[in-house]
Amino acid sequence: MCATCGCGESDGSVITIETHTHDGHTHTHHHVHEHEHEHEHPHETLTLEQKVLAKNDAIAEQNRRWFADHDITVLNLTSSPGSGKTTLLERTIRELSGKRSVSVIEGDQETTLDADRIHSAGANVVQVNTGAGCHLDASMIDRAVAKLQPETGSILFIENVGNLVCPAMFDLGEMGKVVVISVTEGTDKPLKYPHMFAAATLVLVNKIDLLPYVDFDLESCSQYARLVNPDVTVLPVSAKSGEGLDAWFGWVEMNCRTSIDSD
C-alpha cells in the first residue's frame, strides 16, 4: 500500500514507459521493481510518508530547475476519470502545435489508449503506466522527460492519472496544476476535494454543452472553487463544441515562459 495516500501503489510499482514519435516508430521500456512490505504502525507510516514526500519534493525541484533552464512551460492536468481531459488536450495540441512545440507525458494505470490519441493529435508523447498507483510522481516525470526530450521553449502537458485526491500531494516540478471537472460530476466537487482545488492554478469546467440537460450550477461551482482557493481562475469550456476554448488557449499562451515573438 502507498504510504502517502493509501492507494494500492508501493514505492516500487511497475512503471511502463512508451515513447511515441512522429516517425511512426514506438519504443517500449518496462521497468519492474518488486518490494515486500510489512505491516506498519501509524507513527511509522507518518514518518515514511514524510520521507517519501521529501524525496519527491527534492526531485520535483530538480525537475523545475531543468524546465526553467530550458524555458519549458509545464502544466499538470488533473481530473476525475471521464472529465474529458484527453479530448480537451487533443484540441489544445491541434490549436497550439502550429505555433510552438507541444509534448505530453500521459499517465494511466494501464494501456496506451490515451497516448495513441495524443500522438494522433500531433504531439510527441511518453506513456507512464503506474499499475495500481493512483498518481504520477516526480521521479516518473524525470525518467519520462529523459525519454521525451522536449524542445527548449516548448509546452509540456502532464496528463495525470484520473484522480482528484493523490495528485494534489505530489509536486512534479510543474509551473501549475490545471484541474478539469465536467458538469456531469456535480456542483459541489470543489468542496468534496478541497486539497486538489486549493493546489490548482486554473479550473476548467468542461462539457458546458450539456448544461441544459444536467443539474449543475456553474456560478455556485465557481464560488465553491474560489472559497477553497481565492486566487484560482475558473473557465467554462466545451471540448466537444469548442465553446470557451479560446479563453483556455489564451491562458496557456499568457502563462508560457517565452512568447511566440521571442521563439
Side-chain angles (χ1 to χ4, degrees), residues 157-184:
F157 291 104
I158 301 170
E159 184 173 2
N160 219 312
V161 179
N163 181 359
L164 286 180
V165 180
C166 307
M169 302 173 62
F170 284 82
D171 182 6
L172 305 180
E174 71 270 31
M175 179 179 289
K177 287 182 172 67
V178 177
V179 178
V180 183
I181 62 173
S182 69
V183 301
T184 59

Side-chain angles (χ1 to χ4, degrees), residues 182-250:
S182 69
V183 301
T184 59
E185 296 177 51
T187 300
D188 56 357
K189 205 77 170 184
L191 301 180
K192 289 183 175 180
Y193 300 92
H195 296 294
M196 190 72 258
F197 286 85
T201 304
L202 174 70
V203 173
L204 296 177
V205 182
N206 192 25
K207 303 186 183 180
I208 59 172
D209 54 296
L210 297 179
L211 279 174
Y213 313 105
V214 296
D215 183 14
F216 185 90
D217 188 327
L218 182 58
E219 182 59 31
S220 293
C221 182
S222 300
Q223 290 177 356
Y224 293 153
R226 296 188 183 102
L227 181 65
V228 172
N229 182 352
D231 297 323
V232 77
T233 299
V234 180
L235 295 177
V237 300
S238 171
K240 182 177 181 179
S241 71
E243 185 178 356
L245 290 186
D246 284 344
W248 157 238
F249 300 149

Side-chain angles (χ1 to χ4, degrees), residues 7-197:
C7 68
E9 180 192 11
S10 69
D11 191 35
S13 59
V14 176
I15 302 172
T16 301
I17 295 180
E18 299 199 9
T19 304
H20 297 253
T21 56
H22 290 294
D23 60 9
H25 296 287
T26 302
H27 305 280
T28 305
H29 307 268
H30 298 272
H31 306 274
V32 181
H33 309 274
E34 296 181 355
H35 297 271
E36 294 182 358
H37 297 270
E38 297 179 355
H39 176 73
E40 297 165 342
H41 297 292
H43 67 279
E44 294 173 338
T45 300
L46 178 61
T47 300
L48 180 57
E49 174 183 335
Q50 292 171 337
K51 290 181 178 179
V52 169
L53 290 176
K55 179 180 178 181
N56 180 85
D57 289 347
I59 299 172
E61 191 55 37
Q62 293 174 6
N63 292 345
R64 186 173 288 107
R65 287 197 296 267
W66 190 90
F67 294 140
D69 289 344
H70 293 81
D71 290 326
I72 297 173
T73 301
V74 184
L75 297 173
N76 180 6
L77 274 60
T78 66
S79 76
S80 299
S83 69
K85 184 166 81 275
T86 305
T87 300
L88 178 73
L89 193 50
E90 286 176 300
R91 292 198 67 150
T92 304
I93 291 165
R94 293 189 174 102
E95 171 68 20
L96 300 180
S97 59
K99 303 174 183 178
R100 63 171 76 242
S101 175
V102 179
S103 54
V104 177
I105 296 173
E106 182 65 47
D108 276 308
Q109 290 188 319
E110 299 291 347
T111 81
T112 63
L113 296 175
D114 286 350
D116 294 338
R117 290 171 59 185
I118 295 302
H119 179 233
S120 297
N124 286 341
V125 56
V126 167
Q127 176 77 44
V128 179
N129 284 351
T130 62
C134 59
H135 58 84
L136 297 175
D137 63 30
S139 178
M140 295 175 187
I141 298 305
D142 177 49
R143 282 176 280 174
V145 167
K147 296 293 182 183
L148 190 58
Q149 290 295 305
E151 295 180 14
T152 297
S154 65
I155 300 173
L156 171 61
F157 291 104
I158 301 170
E159 184 173 2
N160 219 312
V161 179
N163 181 359
L164 286 180
V165 180
C166 307
M169 302 173 62
F170 284 82
D171 182 6
L172 305 180
E174 71 270 31
M175 179 179 289
K177 287 182 172 67
V178 177
V179 178
V180 183
I181 62 173
S182 69
V183 301
T184 59
E185 296 177 51
T187 300
D188 56 357
K189 205 77 170 184
L191 301 180
K192 289 183 175 180
Y193 300 92
H195 296 294
M196 190 72 258
F197 286 85

